[in-house]
Amino acid sequence: MRGRGESDTNICSHRPPTVRERLVSCDEDARRPAWSIVDGPYRHHHASAQVSDDGNGATVFVWIADILPASLADWTARMMELGIDAVRRTLESGDRVVGTR
């Protein structure tokens, strides 16, 4: 997770609004971070992402977000699509951090 971080929080400006995310957990072995938006348009937000190998040499990326109110679902889906595009561009460019442990 990138942005201006403070310990386990991250400030993200996807487009308005700016949100503050809090890291809930990070399982490096499972390649699965979980976070919550704690300062933004949601009454409730919890998300996780996981990267795995499909067994045939391809990468599987799963991103799940639980939100309230439901009226933000379309906006959230658009923001997630932009995020997934950013992940894809980073992976395809080869410009990534390796061996962060």
Side-chain angles (χ1 to χ4, degrees):
M1 297 169 61
R2 290 184 148 185
R4 293 179 291 133
E6 299 173 13
S7 63
D8 66 346
T9 63
N10 193 38
I11 300 168
C12 298
S13 296
H14 302 287
R15 290 187 179 174
T18 296
V19 299
R20 182 182 305 269
E21 298 174 333
R22 182 177 59 85
L23 183 64
V24 174
S25 66
C26 185
D27 183 336
E28 291 190 25
D29 292 331
R31 300 181 198 173
R32 182 187 178 277
W35 65 96
S36 181
I37 292 179
V38 294
D39 184 15
Y42 301 102
R43 271 195 329 257
H44 168 80
H45 176 280
H46 182 268
S48 64
Q50 188 162 11
V51 178
S52 61
D53 184 327
D54 75 349
N56 296 311
T59 300
V60 177
F61 180 78
V62 177
W63 186 354
I64 299 169
D66 298 315
I67 65 163
L68 286 174
S71 61
L72 293 173
D74 289 341
W75 180 81
T76 301
R78 286 191 302 275
M79 294 302 104
M80 289 173 73
E81 288 172 12
L82 291 171
I84 289 168
D85 286 341
V87 169
R88 180 181 299 115
R89 284 191 310 272
T90 299
L91 292 173
E92 289 173 350
S93 75
D95 183 24
R96 54 186 174 244
V97 176
V98 178
T100 58
R101 289 188 194 198

